[in-house]
Amino acid sequence: MSPRIGVMTSGGDAQGMNAAVRSIVRSGIHQGAEVYAIYEGWQGAIAGGEHIRHLGWSDVSGILNKGGTVIGTARSAEFRTREGQLKAVENLVHNGIDRLIVIGGDGSLTGTRALCLGWPAYVEELVTTGRITAEQAAAHPHLNIAGMVGSIDNDMVGTDMTIGTDSAMHRITEAIDAISSTAESHRRTFIVEVMGRHCGYLALMTAIAGGADYTFLPESPPRPGWEDRMVEVLGRGRAAGRRDSIILVSEGAADREGEPITAQRIQAALRDRTGEEARITILGHVQRGGTPSAYDRWMATVCGAEAVRQVLSADAQSEPMLVGVRRDMVNTTPLLAAVEATHRIGDFVNEGDYEAAIHARGVGFTTMVDIYRMLSEATPTVAHSENAKRIAVMHAGALAPGMNQLARVAVRAGLDRGYDLFAVKGGVPGLISGDLQEVSWSDVEGMASTGGANFGTRRYVPVDADLYMMARTLEEHRIDALLVMGGFHAYATVDLMEKERRRYPAFNIPIALLPASIDNNLPDWPMAVGSDTALNTIVRSIDMIRMSASASKRAFVVETMGRTCGFLPLMGALAAGAEKAYLPETGITLEQLTDDVTALVDSFTSGRSFYLTVMGEEASKYFTGDVITRLFEAEGAGIYSVRDAVIGHIQQGGNPTPFDRINATRLAYMAISNLDRQLLNGSTDYVAASSGAPGLLAPLREVSAGMDWDNQRPNEQWWLKVRPVFEQLSRRPGQE
Ligand code: ADP
């Protein structure tokens, strides 16, 4: 008998759970297992019967873009009892299920582990009482489990992100952006309450992403007198030019006495001190709703495939594992340790050890708390002097959403440390022509949420004759350090400057280089600023294309940007549930096309009504989107029709996603910290973003060495590792 895997979603629902279920069902089928859904969480395991049902390949079609969970979830008081767990074991054994993947919060995973530990004793008892046979008991001596965290709070130790968090951040930032525009018009103050009973991740990250003024987190209760400090900070922001004030509060925020800090309490504090009646918005369940973001779809998909691998390879001695992510790669850790460490954070908060609580959330969280404080306070930490040093910031290369946030954070972080900040207008040509402008704290107000690049950017790499003019500009404006933010052209420009340093003494200043490109084609940084936004645009566009085709039998060939890099077409295809992806890395052959046309025709003749092909714009010089569409059409006469869709420049536009804004924030802050250090100790190094390096920046030479300059993409592309998962999920076994 083939192994049987049970899958359930339990506890609070979260966007992306469906992607996980789809991936588990299809990966399971590929690996020779049968997958059973346990509907309504542990409640369904206890009820048995219709609640435990086999799921086939097509049962999970069309669920990737749905919020919530199609197999239902519940909280079950009965499962906390011995009798409840006994019943659950009985039903699982009757269905031949002894491998289980649970997608839920820390409560659900704690319960799952308890069941796993108790399994042998429960099985024995069930045999003794005649509820299962001795043969059944012998066939299922232990339960193998894997946990995946579905929780919008991102409150679990052992994974960088939990399923649903990114989508919840989308909902919150959309709300903050909308509220900001009305608040700005009326010069109002808004208090926005977000979810997070024990974890301030959502509040902190969306405060950064939304450019909010003040925030309250459970892990960092304010000291007495916080009301006056808050009023002072808001007042300084207004004096520096802000038209609105936004305060974000976690639902679990409290003061040092443990008294909850509610939106109403903040409102009263403001009323007493300023007379202003702040408006309150409680976002509530909106945060759990809506379509999952691209990240939640691909991350849950990749983790689901790994969870299947885990439960199928586990034996009696295997420790239950938690499947999550670390630095954009799937990562497994012992479930028990992760759950215990998570509970410990709650204890730290309850015991008043807030430093320990923040620390336990990891360095990323601590750094973001510091960055947030710096960004929201409109007074420099370092006193400004008459002969302050000067830092220039410049974009280069194609436009990428999030460039404005990079510039905003860099300017504020630089001013905070007492520097004068200059914007180079219009990218490299602006540096050549000397188009520089001094910028103030309020000049970058509102730039957190907007797409585009207010300072301008151009796809231009300087030629030899330009270098002299660039050096002159740096000298004339007495620029002491330069920050360059952009794509391939930015990297090529700074690389050239480093090579020409000996000829141009003005280039002997510290320079930092940060990746911003929707193509995600830059070395040493997993996600260039802008690439997450473009990916979400692709996924949303494909969702719409799918709907447009729902009434007829139709194949679509969708073309994405990405130039010579396959990140957008592959990850877009994975997140949107495409059947086929063509990438520039592997090109397209005639032989492959012949196979694909056969698969396409098979798929329609066997009852499908939609077939999605995603291709990168430079996947092949010869087999263009047009050619492939015609080819598909030629074979489809009478069975299906074919349409092509070029997603086009909207991929470079749009407001940046929360992830791109947060990514930009961290990068710009670290770059300015590096330049600051260099200016203080007199060094003149060229550095570039590097995710593994201390301070997130490494010598430019080391980073450049990872670039395949001819093909304009990095030598190593981490995301190619998810390709086997895509191949597995897009094609039913047996279908060529
Ligand atoms: P979440 O999984 O989102 O944290 P809950 O904490 O409400 O949500 O847990 C969901 C379900 O998991 C509970 O209703 C219960 O059935 C089960 N559960 C939670 N904690 C335990 C526990 N300590 N022992 C057994 N079952 C538990």
Side-chain angles (χ1 to χ4, degrees):
M1 195 177 88
S2 41
R4 286 192 177 172
I5 302 174
V7 55
M8 75 159 75
T9 48
S10 167
D13 67 321
Q15 307 96 321
M17 281 180 159
N18 288 328
V21 171
R22 172 179 175 274
S23 169
I24 289 163
V25 169
R26 295 193 171 176
S27 306
I29 293 171
H30 260 281
Q31 290 173 47
E34 289 180 51
V35 184
Y36 281 70
I38 298 163
Y39 287 78
E40 319 303 335
W42 286 115
Q43 201 66 54
I46 293 169
E50 273 300 287
H51 285 88
I52 304 180
R53 290 206 299 272
H54 178 252
L55 288 185
W57 187 271
S58 317
D59 294 326
V60 290
S61 290
I63 63 169
L64 196 53
N65 59 344
K66 292 203 165 93
T69 161
V70 294
I71 59 171
T73 181
R75 299 190 203 269
S76 163
E78 202 182 345
F79 185 69
R80 291 175 189 269
T81 67
R82 197 182 143 67
E83 189 47 40
Q85 295 195 1
L86 195 66
K87 265 199 226 161
V89 173
E90 182 182 3
N91 286 324
L92 292 177
V93 171
H94 278 307
N95 282 283
I97 298 168
D98 56 11
R99 292 157 211 271
L100 189 62
I101 301 172
V102 175
I103 310 156
D106 65 333
S108 303
L109 298 180
T110 308
T112 304
R113 192 168 177 283
L115 188 80
C116 181
L117 289 178
W119 182 276
Y122 287 136
V123 166
E124 202 182 306
E125 184 177 334
L126 290 169
V127 176
T128 320
T129 50
R131 288 161 69 176
I132 61 171
T133 64
E135 290 73 39
Q136 282 177 315
H140 308 291
H142 46 257
L143 177 69
N144 286 317
I145 55 177
M148 290 170 66
V149 194
S151 158
I152 66 164
D153 293 348
N154 204 23
D155 51 358
M156 183 67 105
V157 177
T159 179
D160 287 352
M161 284 293 267
T162 59
I163 297 168
T165 303
D166 188 58
S167 306
M169 292 202 296
H170 274 253
R171 297 299 96 76
I172 300 169
T173 25
E174 282 153 17
I176 298 177
D177 289 354
I179 287 169
S180 288
S181 53
T182 158
E184 245 179 73
S185 315
H186 296 278
R187 304 188 71 94
R188 268 191 188 133
T189 301
F190 269 83
I191 305 162
V192 182
E193 186 194 285
V194 300
M195 285 188 170
R197 268 172 295 163
H198 308 292
C199 182
Y201 186 91
L202 283 181
L204 176 64
M205 295 302 169
T206 54
I208 287 171
D213 302 70
Y214 215 81
T215 185
F216 295 93
L217 317 173
E219 296 90 341
S220 152
R223 286 171 219 288
W226 58 265
E227 297 92 337
D228 295 328
R229 272 201 316 282
M230 171 180 70
V231 168
E232 199 186 311
V233 169
L234 298 186
R236 277 204 299 262
R238 289 285 175 105
R242 267 199 85 123
R243 287 186 56 87
D244 65 338
S245 310
I246 308 263
I247 301 164
L248 270 187
V249 54
S250 277
E251 60 180 339
D255 63 19
R256 301 229 158 192
E257 272 74 54
E259 193 62 35
I261 297 183
T262 59
Q264 287 74 14
R265 191 167 161 205
I266 300 168
Q267 185 186 43
L270 287 171
R271 190 188 303 123
D272 293 347
R273 283 161 184 77
T274 66
E276 187 185 355
E277 192 65 22
R279 306 297 202 272
I280 294 178
T281 301
I282 310 241
L283 290 183
H285 281 81
V286 164
Q287 295 161 84
R288 283 192 195 282
T291 187
S293 66
Y295 178 79
D296 275 327
R297 297 187 200 188
W298 72 254
M299 188 264 281
T301 300
V302 174
C303 289
E306 175 60 21
V308 167
R309 215 184 58 76
Q310 287 284 332
V311 289
L312 287 180
S313 61
D315 56 31
Q317 273 71 47
S318 303
E319 191 166 353
M321 296 304 269
L322 179 78
V323 181
V325 281
R326 177 119 310 154
R327 289 210 187 139
D328 293 309
M329 289 316 294
V330 65
N331 178 62
T332 53
T333 44
L335 181 66
L336 176 66
V339 168
E340 282 180 353
T342 303
H343 289 163
R344 219 170 300 131
I345 297 183
D347 296 340
F348 287 143
V349 174
N350 293 337
E351 290 158 11
D353 193 349
Y354 306 115
E355 282 302 310
I358 291 196
H359 188 70
R361 289 256 178 252
V363 277
F365 192 84
T366 322
T367 314
M368 290 315 255
V369 171
D370 292 343
I371 296 177
Y372 178 70
R373 290 191 179 134
M374 177 279 299
L375 280 180
S376 52
E377 304 248 347
T379 41
T381 324
V382 176
H384 186 261
S385 84
E386 272 310 299
N387 40 19
K389 290 201 166 162
R390 300 165 157 223
I391 300 179
V393 298
M394 174 175 83
H395 296 304
L399 187 65
M403 278 184 155
N404 272 342
Q405 173 77 329
L406 278 168
R408 169 180 173 268
V409 175
V411 166
R412 289 200 174 165
L415 292 170
D416 182 62
R417 288 164 196 244
Y419 295 103
D420 288 338
L421 266 290
F422 291 81
V424 177
K425 308 303 282 288
V428 173
L431 190 61
I432 296 169
S433 65
D435 192 0
L436 265 66
Q437 190 183 15
E438 186 162 7
V439 278
S440 69
W441 195 88
S442 58
D443 288 337
V444 293
E445 182 58 32
M447 275 168 55
S449 59
T450 49
N454 291 13
F455 296 160
T457 186
R458 277 274 298 281
R459 287 175 53 202
Y460 185 79
V461 178
V463 292
D464 216 30
D466 298 326
L467 295 174
Y468 168 75
M469 299 300 287
M470 287 161 61
R472 234 178 82 172
T473 302
L474 292 172
E475 261 161 18
E476 277 177 3
H477 288 83
R478 292 182 285 112
I479 299 302
D480 300 293
L482 177 67
L483 171 61
V484 183
M485 307 160 286
F488 179 80
H489 298 80
Y491 278 62
T493 300
V494 178
D495 196 65
L496 181 64
M497 287 174 78
E498 177 162 57
K499 292 198 175 95
E500 299 295 335
R501 286 178 81 155
R502 263 191 234 111
R503 284 172 59 202
Y504 301 101
F507 290 172
N508 287 319
I509 55 171
I511 297 186
L513 175 61
L514 299 178
S517 161
I518 65 162
D519 301 342
N520 202 26
N521 59 346
L522 303 163
D524 263 23
W525 194 259
M527 294 281 285
V529 172
S531 54
D532 184 61
T533 307
L535 197 57
N536 275 283
T537 304
I538 291 168
V539 168
R540 267 198 321 274
S541 306
I542 294 180
D543 283 352
M544 281 189 262
I545 287 172
R546 201 182 276 281
M547 276 185 271
S548 81
S550 63
S552 52
K553 286 196 169 231
R554 186 158 286 174
F556 256 99
V557 179
V558 174
E559 186 183 302
T560 70
M561 285 186 161
R563 295 177 187 283
T564 51
C565 181
F567 172 83
L568 287 179
L570 178 65
M571 299 309 267
L574 182 67
E579 276 72 28
K580 186 73 210 172
Y582 295 120
L583 315 182
E585 282 80 358
T586 42
I588 306 174
T589 63
L590 190 57
E591 195 186 352
Q592 191 186 1
L593 277 175
T594 313
D595 286 351
D596 293 341
V597 173
T598 313
L600 170 72
V601 175
D602 272 3
S603 149
F604 280 103
T605 43
S606 63
R608 279 192 74 95
S609 58
F610 186 71
Y611 192 98
L612 177 63
T613 299
V614 178
M615 62 182 296
E617 58 186 349
E618 292 183 20
S620 164
K621 221 157 74 185
Y622 310 103
F623 301 114
T624 59
D626 199 34
V627 172
I628 293 177
T629 306
R630 301 282 291 275
L631 188 69
F632 285 1
E633 222 159 20
E635 298 293 314
I639 318 171
Y640 59 85
S641 60
V642 190
R643 297 284 186 277
D644 62 342
V646 178
I647 299 181
H649 278 85
I650 58 169
Q651 290 162 92
Q652 287 186 340
N655 291 343
T657 56
F659 177 83
D660 271 334
R661 299 185 201 184
I662 294 162
N663 192 16
T665 302
R666 200 173 36 181
L667 280 168
Y669 177 83
M670 293 316 249
I672 293 294
S673 304
N674 180 287
L675 294 177
D676 177 38
R677 229 178 1 258
Q678 292 209 49
L679 288 170
L680 289 175
N681 69 21
S683 54
T684 56
D685 297 334
Y686 281 29
V687 292
S690 172
S691 62
L696 302 182
L697 291 134
L700 174 70
R701 251 154 226 259
E702 287 173 20
V703 175
S704 294
M707 187 71 142
D708 172 352
W709 292 100
D710 292 337
N711 285 311
Q712 303 200 0
R713 62 184 175 230
N715 293 321
E716 256 185 62
Q717 298 173 289
W718 63 269
W719 46 267
L720 279 176
K721 293 202 188 103
V722 310
R723 194 162 184 191
V725 177
F726 171 71
E727 301 292 344
Q728 197 174 326
L729 296 198
S730 55
R731 239 169 234 201
R732 197 195 303 247
Q735 196 187 28
E736 288 310 319

